[in-house]
Structures are given as structure tokens and as C-alpha cells.
Amino acid sequence: MKNGYELFVRPLLFSLDAETAHHVTMRLLGRASHFDVALRVLRLFRPTSKATTLFGLTFPNPIGLAAGLDKNGVALPAWAALGFGFIEIGTVTAKAQPGNPKPRIFRLPEQQALINRLGFNNDGADAIAQRLSALRLSGRWPAVPVGINIGKSRTTPLEQATDDYLYSFRMLRDFADYITLNISSPNTPGLRELQEPEKLSELLYAIGNEAGRAPKPLLVKISPDVSGAELKAILAVCEENGISGITATNTTLDHSTIPPQLDQAGGLSGAPLRDKSTALVREIAAQCKIPVIATGGIFDAESAREKFQAGALLIQLYTGLVYRGPQLLREIMDRL
């Protein structure tokens, strides 16, 4: 049975092109974040609480907002009001950038999927740090863990990637309960090369050895398209560097389930990613003790339960939220 969002709100949003619908949604949630009455209305969607402790942080429930929906951190109070157990903003880059040419988000309703080639469009680390500082001073900072996902600026050469990540890390770490390094988006040329052991080791060592600051949990977001050998090497480097967690997975370049006439270049998310993501979560859990946050193809309680059974300790929503709406959180929590 369809919920109220699917019956009434989604048809309106889906009457707009995908990126316009996204901007409208973010604008509304951003404005709602400034008004107590609006936040009280959003709290009607809040699911039951089931606290989870991980990385030394307490999560009111194990369902988080995945990076990519609120790239610029404009609606943190609204996401918390809706009942997310944690919020991950970004991907943020050191330099502000417009991203790839439009159109760059494509819906595939029959497949319950999205394809995006956004390319880390965001306001940049400096502007987002200022926005988060103002939010903290306003007294509206959410009472749930906030993660910040950082990536490489498109114009930064790969050999200077470590310095680029370090800049964003230094600007944003004081606002984050944890930091996620995005080294796996398929939409920034060369980025996935940072999953190679030597480059990944350099990056993790540099960020892990930042002096003079209280350590923050550091996570790595990986691709669903890595081979078994590549995954083994990534996990070895992560263990050597004391990484706190792994987010599995980013979007996939495997479009084999998409009819050719509907296909577009970019990263595929949603239901077609479900099995691939779950399989990778299961492999990680079998090979190491690093905690896993799972994302990819979570549309209902069954697909959420599948991720937990595979070994995930937390999950994140993106495409499922676009198609099912905020009532998805309560549906998952009520049936887990």
C-alpha cells in the first residue's frame, strides 16, 4: 500500500525534472529548519527510538541520511525533526564548484532507481563551514550525530588530492561528529584511483596524523564495483590506519539491469544496487572487524533488515527516500 507521500507529494515532485524537484525540496526543508512550528510538523514522521552506540557516538536509531541529498548542509534541523538517527552532509570539496553540465539526474521509476552525474556540485568548504558555524550559534544544531562527507575538487590534480582533502578536513572537522572520505564517486575523473592501496594509504596517514586536535572517527566510502582483490587491499590499508568505519556503497557504474533506451552516463543508485551493495557489506563483515554503514537499495523494512543481517551496524537512505518519502523511516523501525 502506498503511503501519503507516494500518493500526493511524489506525483507533484515527479512532475518536475529531477534536479528542480531536489532544489524545491531542499529550499522548503531549509526554510522549515528556521521555524519551530514547521519542525514540530515534521516530527510527526519521527519513528520510534532504538539507540545504537558506535564510534563512541549515540545514534537515536540506526537510520541515517546518506550524503548527496543535503550537499551544503542547509537543512540539518529538518532532517533531525523527521527522525533520522544521524545526518551526513556533502560531498564537500575544498573549492566551490558547479558540478557537471545539466541535465545530470535521471529518474527510472519502473526500476526504482536514479542515475546521477552531478560531479560534487557544492558551495565549498569555506562557505559550508560558515553556514555550520551560524547554525551552531543559532541554537538549532541537531541533537543527533552529524557526519561530513568530503571529496576531491575536480580541478585539483590527483597527485595533490591529499592536500585538497586536508583543507576540507581542517575547515570542517570541528562541526563533524565523524568525517567520511569519499574516494569512490564515479562522477569525478580519476577519483576512484584513490582506492588504490598506495594512494589510499597516503591519504589516510595524512589525515590520521593531523596534530593538535581531538581525533574524529574517520570513515571511508567505497565503490560497489571493486573486485575481490581490490576490496582485500582496501580493507588492509584501512585496518593499518585505524579507520573507524566503512560506508558501503557508493553508486555503481554497472548498468546491466537498465534497458539501453533508458540508460544515461553516471552512477546508478536504488533498487538495482541492492544485491551488489549487500554482497559487499557481507564480504567486508567476513573479512574484517571494521564497522560498516550500509547504503544502496533500501526501500522497505525487508531490504533494511537484509543489510543488518549482512553485517551492517547502521544504514543510510537516499534513493529510497526519494521514492518512498519520510514515512519510510517509521516503516523500517516498526518492522525491524
Side-chain angles (χ1 to χ4, degrees):
M1 179 184 292
K2 291 184 177 181
N3 62 40
Y5 169 89
E6 293 172 286
L7 288 170
F8 305 111
V9 179
R10 191 176 75 186
L12 292 174
L13 291 175
F14 278 33
S15 70
L16 306 171
D17 75 82
E19 190 157 0
T20 298
H22 176 79
H23 287 312
V24 168
T25 301
M26 291 310 306
R27 192 174 300 116
L28 291 172
L29 290 174
R31 289 177 179 173
S33 294
H34 295 283
F35 297 99
D36 291 339
V37 173
L39 293 175
R40 282 197 292 270
V41 172
L42 294 180
R43 290 189 187 105
L44 295 174
F45 294 97
R46 182 173 289 183
T48 54
S49 180
K50 186 179 180 182
T52 299
T53 301
L54 191 64
F55 320 133
L57 303 171
T58 299
F59 301 82
N61 67 64
I63 307 173
L65 180 77
L69 269 167
D70 193 350
K71 291 177 179 289
N72 293 310
V74 300
L76 273 71
W79 298 121
L82 284 168
F84 282 95
F86 62 108
I87 304 159
E88 188 168 318
I89 68 168
T91 296
V92 182
T93 54
K95 304 169 186 175
Q97 52 187 41
N100 293 321
K102 299 178 182 179
R104 52 195 183 178
I105 310 178
F106 307 90
R107 303 186 193 98
L108 291 79
E110 289 188 15
Q111 289 74 29
Q112 290 191 301
L114 296 174
I115 296 174
N116 95 79
R117 50 173 182 259
L118 287 161
F120 291 168
N121 54 311
N122 74 103
D123 294 340
D126 295 86
I128 293 171
Q130 290 178 8
R131 181 174 297 123
L132 297 178
S133 178
L135 177 62
R136 181 169 283 172
L137 290 172
S138 75
R140 294 182 179 275
W141 192 266
V144 300
V146 174
I148 302 181
N149 183 302
I150 60 176
K152 185 185 79 68
S153 304
R154 186 183 185 93
T155 58
T156 298
L158 198 61
E159 57 270 19
Q160 296 173 23
T162 295
D163 289 337
D164 194 81
Y165 278 88
L166 277 170
Y167 184 86
S168 297
F169 178 78
R170 290 165 181 155
M171 289 298 301
L172 297 165
R173 60 185 163 190
D174 290 342
F175 304 104
D177 291 298
Y178 70 88
I179 295 281
T180 300
L181 305 180
N182 188 344
I183 56 170
S184 53
S185 170
N187 299 317
T188 295
L191 187 75
R192 288 188 169 187
E193 292 182 34
L194 294 175
Q195 295 179 129
E196 296 172 3
E198 186 175 344
K199 293 184 176 70
L200 180 58
S201 183
E202 176 190 338
L203 176 61
L204 296 184
Y205 180 84
I207 291 183
N209 285 275
E210 273 288 280
R213 295 281 180 173
K216 292 288 174 83
L218 188 65
L219 283 66
V220 173
K221 188 167 188 175
I222 65 172
S223 163
D225 302 325
V226 294
S227 67
E230 289 169 333
L231 177 63
K232 186 175 182 179
I234 289 169
L235 296 179
V237 173
C238 288
E239 287 185 308
E240 289 168 7
N241 286 274
I243 292 305
S244 299
I246 293 174
T247 302
T249 64
N250 216 313
T251 56
T252 181
L253 288 175
D254 177 4
H255 292 200
S256 58
T257 59
I258 304 303
Q261 68 272 19
L262 299 178
D263 204 8
Q264 295 282 344
L268 174 67
S269 64
L273 181 56
R274 173 178 170 175
D275 291 345
K276 196 167 192 174
S277 169
T278 302
L280 197 64
V281 171
R282 189 174 291 112
E283 284 187 52
I284 296 167
Q287 292 186 39
C288 72
K289 295 183 178 180
I290 300 175
V292 180
I293 298 178
T295 183
I298 301 171
F299 276 74
D300 50 27
E302 179 185 353
S303 50
R305 187 182 298 112
E306 182 182 87
K307 293 290 193 285
F308 290 120
Q309 290 174 342
L313 297 180
L314 302 171
I315 60 173
Q316 291 179 320
L317 305 179
Y318 185 129
T319 306
L321 187 66
V322 171
Y323 279 93
R324 299 291 319 284
Q327 286 165 277
L328 177 58
L329 281 77
R330 182 177 293 175
E331 177 183 325
I332 291 173
M333 292 304 301
D334 286 349
R335 299 181 185 178
L336 281 181

